[in-house]
Amino acid sequence: MQLRTKITSIFVFLTSLFLIGIFIFIYYTSKKYTESEFYLRLSQRATIAAQAHLEADEFNIDIYDDIRIRHLMTLPNEKEVIYKVNTQERKSLTAFDPSLPDKFYQDIFSSEYAEIKKDDYYYTGLLFNDKEGDFIVVLSATDLYGFGKLDNLRNTLIVAFFLSIVFIIILGGYYARQALSPISKIIKEVNTIRAEKLSLRLHTTGGKDELGQLATTFNNMLDRLQLSFDLQNNFINNASHELRNPLTAILGQTEIALNKERTNEEYSTILKSIDREASRLDFLVNGLLKLAQTDFEAKGFLIEPIRLDEMILNIKNNIDVSNPDNKIAIDFEELPESEDAITHMGSESLLNVAFGNILENACKFSDNKKVVVKILSDGDSVLVTIQDLGIGIPEDELKSIYEPFFRASNVRNINGFGFGLPLAYRIIKMHSGEIRVVSQINKGTLVKIKLPNKNIATI
């Protein structure tokens, strides 16, 4: 079922219920008013009949009938009965019309007035006191005029109801189309957007209604998709370029070596060149594999408690072997007393890669100047800061430092591929952590890393 049809159906259904309730209320209110008005007329005629009975010796009964007929009009099927009553009749009720219930007469004796409807007849009873004894006047009639009015009102309401439903269906369908037309427009615009046309955006009027928010949200999603596609294209282009260079060098050196006989020294030089390019290619492929590995869910990793101070000490020991000239200093002055405060639940192998890349970058881009590592805790998190005195990163380029293969404009003369920080960023994010980089040209770079401690769930 289309949304337009569903909205129209619900609107018609709810409106129908509302109209039925209103029309039933109107009908029964009119019916109650008609009945009470007719009972009032009956009671007035019963009162006149009682007065005529009380003054029968002084009042000409023919004159009474003439006045009643000429001025009060005879009611349809009108019937008047007068009963003389005494104490015994009050108890037995056998002298009265047995077709009426006893409660009708009991109400007359107790309240001096009663009314009842039986079939199409309305009955009114009045109790009067006379010096010669009490008597009851029971007047009955049918309200043909009232029945006609009620029948006409009922038929009018039924016709009005069905006409209203037809009108509501037409009106509801029209307004449903009007209300959903922006959605139909959005659907048409969305269908025109393809992977090769990600620059297209939905038209927005700047409104704050739900449809305006939907269009804005969809445009924001397209912005993120376009950015992801651009990053992916850049990544593929950069990776292809970086892989092609060492492969071209290896193939070129191999071709040179096979072109003619060479001396042992020349073969040795060529093999060293091939080895250097192969090592570069190996490093590049390993970096790509690690980047790809971080795109998978963390459920396949071994999760274990990691004391970050011990892990960083081990990383420093490894860097001391590969780079003996480094000046990494670890500051333990603000180390918390509780072991759990600096223990993180995660993958030690991945975090080794992340912190190792950041520390190696700090040494490499500061030309082995002093690098200070500080470990502390704010209660729920482990905080690690890494401060170097290197060449820094241009401010307008900080937004791109997490993109693979990106290298700042002032480090092009330093060997590297642009893998270290993007890989570290992904690993930290996988561990529900945060990483922030603050840098100034020729003054150094500060990397702040925040990870949940042992008391907080991570992966």
Side-chain angles (χ1 to χ4, degrees):
M1 181 184 292
Q2 290 185 340
L3 182 59
R4 182 179 64 190
T5 306
K6 186 180 295 185
I7 291 175
T8 303
S9 301
I10 293 174
F11 177 68
V12 171
F13 175 72
L14 294 178
T15 307
S16 301
L17 290 181
F18 177 75
L19 287 177
I20 289 172
I22 292 296
F23 288 172
I24 289 176
F25 173 77
I26 291 173
Y27 179 79
Y28 278 99
T29 301
S30 300
K31 183 179 179 182
K32 287 292 182 184
Y33 175 78
T34 301
E35 288 181 348
S36 83
E37 184 184 37
F38 192 70
Y39 278 127
L40 178 61
R41 294 174 64 189
L42 284 177
S43 66
Q44 289 174 344
R45 297 180 72 84
T47 301
I48 293 174
Q51 292 294 331
H53 180 75
L54 287 171
E55 301 173 3
D57 53 344
E58 302 174 4
F59 194 78
N60 191 325
I61 194 67
D62 294 330
I63 296 176
Y64 155 72
D65 289 335
D66 182 62
I67 292 174
R68 186 171 65 171
I69 293 171
R70 289 171 56 189
H71 296 283
L72 297 179
M73 297 181 62
T74 302
L75 297 175
N77 300 317
E78 181 178 340
K79 183 179 179 181
E80 177 186 302
V81 181
I82 298 177
Y83 299 99
K84 285 186 178 260
V85 295
N86 51 41
T87 304
Q88 184 63 30
E89 289 172 340
R90 284 173 179 262
K91 294 181 180 179
S92 64
L93 303 178
T94 56
F96 304 114
D97 184 358
S99 64
L100 297 177
D102 293 344
K103 188 177 183 305
F104 174 72
Y105 298 105
Q106 291 171 356
D107 289 341
I108 294 175
F109 289 130
S110 60
S111 304
E112 298 185 354
Y113 175 79
E115 58 187 34
I116 192 174
K117 181 176 182 293
K118 184 179 180 183
D119 298 328
D120 291 336
Y121 284 84
Y122 294 88
Y123 294 85
T124 297
L126 296 175
L127 175 66
F128 289 92
N129 299 315
D130 188 16
K131 58 185 178 180
E132 297 180 359
D134 298 338
F135 65 94
I136 291 175
V137 177
V138 177
L139 196 69
S140 62
T142 55
D143 189 11
L144 298 181
Y145 177 71
F147 291 155
K149 286 198 301 182
L150 290 176
D151 289 343
N152 181 65
L153 176 62
R154 183 188 65 240
N155 295 334
T156 301
L157 292 176
I158 291 173
V159 172
F161 173 77
F162 285 107
L163 290 177
S164 299
I165 293 302
V166 173
F167 176 74
I168 289 169
I169 291 173
I170 297 172
L171 189 65
Y174 171 76
Y175 278 105
R177 284 194 301 272
Q178 292 296 109
L180 296 177
S181 61
I183 296 180
S184 300
K185 185 178 179 182
I186 289 175
I187 292 172
K188 291 180 181 178
E189 292 181 356
V190 169
N191 286 331
T192 62
I193 299 174
R194 299 287 187 272
E196 62 275 8
K197 295 183 179 180
L198 278 179
S199 59
L200 297 178
R201 294 294 181 269
L202 300 181
H203 176 70
T204 57
T205 58
K208 295 184 178 180
D209 58 359
E210 289 79 1
L211 292 177
Q213 293 176 6
L214 175 63
T216 302
T217 302
F218 196 85
N219 284 341
N220 292 337
M221 184 190 71
L222 288 175
D223 290 338
R224 294 192 295 270
L225 283 176
Q226 185 176 17
L227 178 61
S228 298
F229 270 81
D230 292 342
L231 290 176
Q232 185 180 28
N233 289 333
N234 290 335
F235 176 81
I236 293 172
N237 292 334
N238 290 329
S240 300
H241 176 74
E242 294 293 341
L243 288 169
R244 187 183 298 114
N245 287 340
L247 285 173
T248 301
I250 291 173
L251 291 173
Q253 293 293 331
T254 304
E255 185 179 356
I256 291 172
L258 296 174
N259 190 34
K260 65 177 182 178
E261 291 292 332
R262 305 284 179 180
T263 64
N264 290 337
E265 290 78 9
E266 288 176 331
Y267 280 125
S268 177
T269 302
I270 292 173
L271 288 174
K272 286 179 181 179
S273 177
I274 292 175
D275 179 69
R276 183 171 60 253
E277 295 299 332
S279 298
R280 181 184 174 193
L281 184 60
D282 179 68
F283 181 83
L284 184 59
V285 171
N286 285 333
L288 289 172
L289 289 174
K290 288 178 180 178
L291 276 176
Q293 186 182 29
T294 57
D295 285 334
F296 293 103
E297 294 182 1
K299 61 184 180 182
F301 298 140
L302 176 63
I303 307 303
E304 55 188 337
I306 308 164
R307 278 197 55 163
L308 293 185
D309 56 340
E310 295 178 354
M311 186 185 72
I312 291 175
L313 279 173
N314 292 332
I315 293 172
K316 182 187 181 311
N317 293 334
N318 293 333
I319 294 177
D320 288 341
V321 175
S322 61
N323 181 14
D325 297 329
N326 77 85
K327 295 182 177 61
I328 297 175
I330 303 177
D331 184 356
F332 291 122
E333 289 186 3
E334 298 186 40
L335 207 63
E337 295 181 359
S338 172
E339 178 180 338
D340 290 343
I342 56 172
T343 300
H344 172 73
M345 298 298 296
S347 170
E348 186 171 6
S349 60
L350 287 177
L351 288 176
N352 263 308
V353 172
F355 282 96
N357 286 346
I358 295 172
L359 286 172
E360 287 174 356
N361 282 348
C363 296
K364 179 167 63 174
F365 295 115
S366 66
D367 197 19
N368 283 329
K369 293 179 182 178
K370 186 175 182 180
V371 176
V372 179
V373 182
K374 185 179 291 187
I375 305 170
L376 57 154
S377 174
D378 65 355
D380 293 333
S381 303
V382 189
L383 304 176
V384 180
T385 62
I386 301 171
Q387 173 78 59
D388 66 54
L389 302 174
I391 60 177
I393 305 171
E395 184 177 355
D396 59 338
E397 298 180 8
L398 281 172
K399 63 181 181 296
S400 304
I401 59 177
Y402 302 124
E403 298 176 16
F405 294 107
F406 174 80
R407 307 195 73 215
S409 57
N410 59 339
V411 298
R412 301 293 168 80
N413 59 332
I414 302 175
N415 292 331
F417 294 102
F419 279 144
L421 199 53
L423 184 56
Y425 173 79
R426 293 191 184 189
I427 292 173
I428 297 299
K429 286 296 183 181
M430 282 174 55
H431 288 74
S432 302
E434 299 175 9
I435 181 170
R436 183 184 175 196
V437 177
V438 181
S439 186
Q440 287 184 306
I441 293 293
N442 297 323
K443 290 187 178 180
T445 301
L446 173 64
V447 180
K448 299 179 180 179
I449 301 170
K450 183 178 182 180
L451 290 168
N453 63 21
K454 189 177 180 180
N455 299 322
I456 304 297
T458 56
I459 298 177

